[in-house]
Amino acid sequence: MPELNCISELKKLLNANCKIEKVEPPVYASDAEVNIVKVSIVCPDGKSHTIKAYKEEASTLREFIRTHK
């Protein structure tokens, strides 16, 4: 199964020493399914990025963030 674009983009930013600033809604150890996730990321150069994921991608992105903190 190919990697989702939202996860590829997040990995690229994290590898560039960017940090996750905020995840909406917040990620908890056990949380209900959500239909949309918005991740705010800030990089060392001061630039900020936003990654949005919907439906199944949202659940996969939240699981990635939960397991890679």
Side-chain angles (χ1 to χ4, degrees), residues 32-59:
E33 288 209 15
V34 295
N35 287 323
I36 184 172
V37 172
K38 187 167 98 174
V39 182
S40 300
I41 300 141
V42 65
C43 293
D45 63 4
K47 290 185 179 177
S48 59
H49 303 271
T50 301
I51 298 174
K52 292 181 183 176
Y54 303 91
K55 300 188 183 199
E56 292 84 15
E57 283 189 5
S59 296

Side-chain angles (χ1 to χ4, degrees), residues 2-32:
E3 186 171 78
L4 296 173
N5 189 39
C6 59
I7 293 176
S8 296
E9 186 177 348
L10 180 57
K11 280 183 178 179
K12 181 178 80 173
L13 291 168
L14 293 175
N15 287 336
N17 293 321
C18 299
K19 303 289 182 210
I20 295 174
E21 190 172 49
K22 186 196 248 182
V23 179
E24 298 177 69
V27 175
Y28 298 107
S30 62
D31 64 281

